[in-house]
Amino acid sequence: MATDYFGVLGLAQGASDSEIKKAYRRLARDLHPDVNPDPEAKERFQEVTRAYEALTDPEKRRIVDLGGDPFDSGGGAGGFGGAAGFGGLGDIMDAFFGGAAARGPRSRTRAGRDALIPVELELDETVFGTTKDITVDTAVLCDTCSGAGTAPGTHPVTCATCSGRGEVQSVQRGFLGQVVSSRPCPTCAATGQVIPEPCPKCAGDGRVRARRTISVKVPAGVEDGMRIRLTGHGEVGPGGGPAGDLYVEVHELPHPVFTRDGEDLHCRVTLPMTAAALGTTLNLKTLDGEEDLDIRPGTQSGSVLTLRAHGAPRLRATGRGNLVVHVEVTTPTKLDAEQEKLLRELAALRGEDQPESHREAQGGLFSRVRDAFNGR
């Protein structure tokens, strides 16, 4: 029966990609071996990681949607066996006419699975790149038998049940006459060989689980959700087979000031209305250091200013994105008597308080308003 990978993540069937990612992140933070040393949590973390891989890889997801299990090597592409246990026309023909000679014994050495591990990075690490040491818990080559699975000084021997063919045949008489059927040898698991003295360290599997630290070079400009592929750093296969790949998925942590939209960064600055009206120069802290930002007189709330080439590098092109600054103008909520008087005078001069008010000369009034507010 195929594994319910949605259920492993605590999701309903057909959950969206964002729901899958959110559920995996929540579970991974609680179950990761570096955080939770409980052996059951370790097994649960592996189940959750496998479920996430099955639901985010397009090809594996297609198999899941068809009701199969992408990690079930015995279930075929879709994981369907049929009512009689046959995978297709070829298996039916083999059941009637044999096929052991065409297939032959299966190799004990098989390729390993890919592994997936999340890594949390600060915004400046994803923007400028970094080197991160991560701890992974995967199957590695057994250093006692070097993947052979045998005890030192011993070797595999030919299976006596199938004589090295990897399959056993049975002959039955039926309504079609004599029927020859073949099935994998139960003694040697279709490999044609048995190990009389397994390796004491790996129990004949050729691999053991081990925790190791790997340095990952994170390129400048990576984004949340991207995966970095480390070829050959995944699970070593049974019998010491070639290792799969390790995928490191980037989880970008929220920044207190900047938000990211692709290669562009965004931030907000607030200005008192006097500074927005008269203009000023702001000292803005960016990821590259401090920059002077000129605010022109009459700047309105909601205005957008751009610092070019202060965003994230473009991964597949040259140059960098921009830092987009959103301006918010604040209105004072409390005024003392002098400040209120000055604002009323300003409103009168601008014709905003009394349309027929006298318009006195404006020289020095803006300065008095600014000085009054700066003294709050």
Side-chain angles (χ1 to χ4, degrees):
M1 181 177 180
T3 302
D4 179 10
Y5 290 114
F6 287 101
V8 171
L9 295 177
L11 299 171
Q13 292 287 334
S16 65
D17 291 343
S18 61
E19 291 173 330
I20 292 170
K21 181 183 291 187
K22 186 180 298 183
Y24 173 69
R25 286 185 180 179
R26 184 184 69 253
L27 292 170
R29 287 193 182 99
D30 296 335
L31 299 173
H32 194 280
D34 289 343
V35 177
N36 193 335
D38 189 341
E40 294 184 1
K42 176 181 175 182
E43 295 180 4
R44 173 75 173 135
F45 176 73
Q46 294 172 356
E47 293 176 0
V48 167
T49 301
R50 180 181 289 194
Y52 181 70
E53 182 181 351
L55 297 177
T56 54
D57 182 278
E59 182 59 27
K60 293 184 177 67
R61 176 65 181 268
R62 184 185 68 83
I63 296 175
V64 171
D65 291 341
L66 289 173
D69 190 333
F71 298 111
D72 182 5
S73 59
F80 302 109
F86 295 112
L89 180 60
D91 290 337
I92 296 175
M93 298 299 291
D94 286 343
F96 279 98
F97 303 107
R103 285 192 290 265
R106 186 177 66 185
S107 174
R108 287 188 61 253
T109 302
R110 300 193 299 278
R113 296 200 311 264
D114 295 337
L116 176 69
I117 187 169
V119 59
E120 293 185 339
L121 299 175
E122 300 289 347
L123 177 62
D124 60 334
E125 292 177 318
T126 60
V127 169
F128 298 116
T130 186
T131 298
K132 206 79 170 178
D133 289 337
I134 62 172
T135 301
V136 295
D137 189 348
T138 59
V140 298
L141 190 70
C142 176
D143 56 7
T144 299
C145 65
S146 299
T150 57
T154 66
H155 302 280
V157 298
T158 301
C159 176
T161 302
C162 65
S163 301
R165 294 190 301 271
E167 292 184 338
V168 292
Q169 296 180 339
S170 60
V171 180
Q172 294 179 334
R173 293 186 178 276
F175 65 94
L176 294 178
Q178 182 172 288
V179 177
V180 180
S181 62
S182 300
R183 59 186 177 89
C185 177
T187 303
C188 64
T191 63
Q193 294 181 325
V194 294
I195 298 177
E197 297 183 48
C199 171
K201 186 172 184 178
C202 67
D205 191 40
R207 55 183 183 168
V208 294
R209 298 206 71 83
R211 178 171 291 192
R212 53 203 170 103
T213 300
I214 300 176
S215 290
V216 181
K217 185 176 181 181
V218 180
V222 296
E223 296 184 47
D224 183 72
M226 286 186 173
R227 293 179 180 179
I228 302 169
R229 179 182 180 183
L230 301 179
T231 304
H233 285 277
E235 300 270 353
V236 168
D245 298 333
L246 174 64
Y247 290 89
V248 179
E249 185 169 86
V250 175
H251 292 177
E252 186 178 84
L253 297 172
H255 193 275
V257 176
F258 302 105
T259 57
R260 185 170 177 180
D261 181 14
E263 63 200 29
D264 292 332
L265 301 178
H266 294 256
C267 71
R268 293 186 178 277
V269 297
T270 57
L271 296 174
M273 67 177 191
T274 50
L278 300 173
T280 187
T281 299
L282 288 182
N283 186 255
L284 185 66
K285 291 184 178 180
T286 72
L287 294 182
D288 296 278
E290 296 185 353
E291 295 285 341
D292 288 335
L293 183 65
D294 290 329
I295 304 296
R296 294 184 177 183
T299 296
Q300 301 296 306
S301 187
S303 297
V304 175
L305 306 176
T306 302
L307 287 177
R308 299 197 176 279
H310 280 70
R314 299 180 176 92
L315 267 178
R316 297 173 179 83
T318 58
R320 296 174 59 178
N322 301 321
L323 173 57
V324 182
V325 182
H326 301 264
V327 179
E328 293 182 355
V329 178
T330 59
T331 302
T333 56
K334 294 182 180 180
L335 300 173
D336 59 28
E338 179 65 19
Q339 293 169 349
E340 183 177 353
K341 177 182 177 183
L342 289 171
L343 279 181
R344 290 190 181 281
E345 291 181 22
L346 176 61
L349 286 172
R350 293 179 55 83
E352 298 169 353
D353 185 30
Q354 297 179 13
E356 302 300 328
S357 63
H358 298 290
R359 301 181 179 271
E360 300 177 356
Q362 298 182 21
L365 182 57
F366 274 113
S367 297
R368 292 162 60 197
V369 173
R370 179 185 58 198
D371 293 341
F373 277 96
N374 289 340
R376 289 184 60 192

